[in-house]
Amino acid sequence: MKPDHFEVTSACSAVHHILARVGDKWTVLVVNYLGNRSMRFNELKRAINGISQKMLTSTLRSLERDGFVTRTVYPTIPPRVDYELTDLGRDLLVPVRGLGDWAIKNEQRVSEARARFDAAHGNAQGPRRFADAAE
């Protein structure tokens, strides 16, 4: 069923841009970790399995640019840099964690739905686990 009238508005564009920023797996992980406390770059890198230094740097810069994260440099030798969620970042943490909780709670249901679909459509090559499909 098609809607009678659909117009791409500035609200649609805003939602698209925000979801593009917060929808990638690295952003979700960084926001989740920083939701617990401020962390140094290397702490984050060790905590987030599989993230490269370049990707973590890029993700943190984007989050800082969008106002979700602050970066504080301390004049020590070597310099100490801490990353922390801003008020806006803490606001973002609520839906991010809510969606994460929903995904964990419903992983089995989604996996079963995919298996039914694949069986009905002869697609036995699909991912076996919910997590594999997200990769």
Side-chain angles (χ1 to χ4, degrees):
M1 178 175 178
K2 291 184 179 180
D4 292 334
H5 178 66
F6 181 79
E7 181 181 340
V8 177
T9 65
S10 60
C12 292
S13 180
V15 169
H16 168 75
H17 290 294
I18 294 298
L19 288 178
R21 159 59 25 232
V22 301
D24 70 83
K25 69 179 181 179
W26 300 124
T27 294
V28 168
L29 290 170
V30 168
V31 168
N32 263 311
Y33 278 107
L34 291 178
N36 297 325
R37 62 183 176 87
S38 68
M39 296 178 79
R40 296 174 74 174
F41 183 90
N42 284 327
E43 286 180 289
L44 277 167
K45 187 163 181 331
R46 281 190 301 272
I48 302 172
N49 189 28
I51 193 168
S52 68
Q53 182 168 334
K54 180 180 178 182
M55 185 53 68
L56 180 55
T57 298
S58 174
T59 300
L60 287 166
R61 281 186 185 155
S62 294
L63 287 169
E64 185 180 10
R65 179 177 182 255
D66 290 342
F68 297 121
V69 169
T70 59
R71 178 180 185 266
T72 305
V73 180
Y74 296 95
T76 60
I77 299 175
R80 175 181 169 167
V81 180
D82 285 350
Y83 294 91
E84 183 175 17
L85 290 181
T86 62
D87 289 341
L88 185 61
R90 283 186 289 280
D91 284 348
L92 173 63
L93 189 60
V94 174
V96 164
R97 286 196 170 158
L99 184 58
D101 292 343
W102 182 92
I104 291 165
K105 179 181 173 186
N106 290 285
E107 178 181 8
Q108 185 63 37
R109 292 173 62 198
V110 173
S111 294
E112 290 167 1
R114 287 178 175 167
R116 284 191 304 274
F117 181 91
D118 290 346
H121 293 87
N123 182 9
Q125 301 298 320
R128 292 188 185 133
R129 296 181 320 127
F130 185 62
D132 295 337
E135 294 294 317

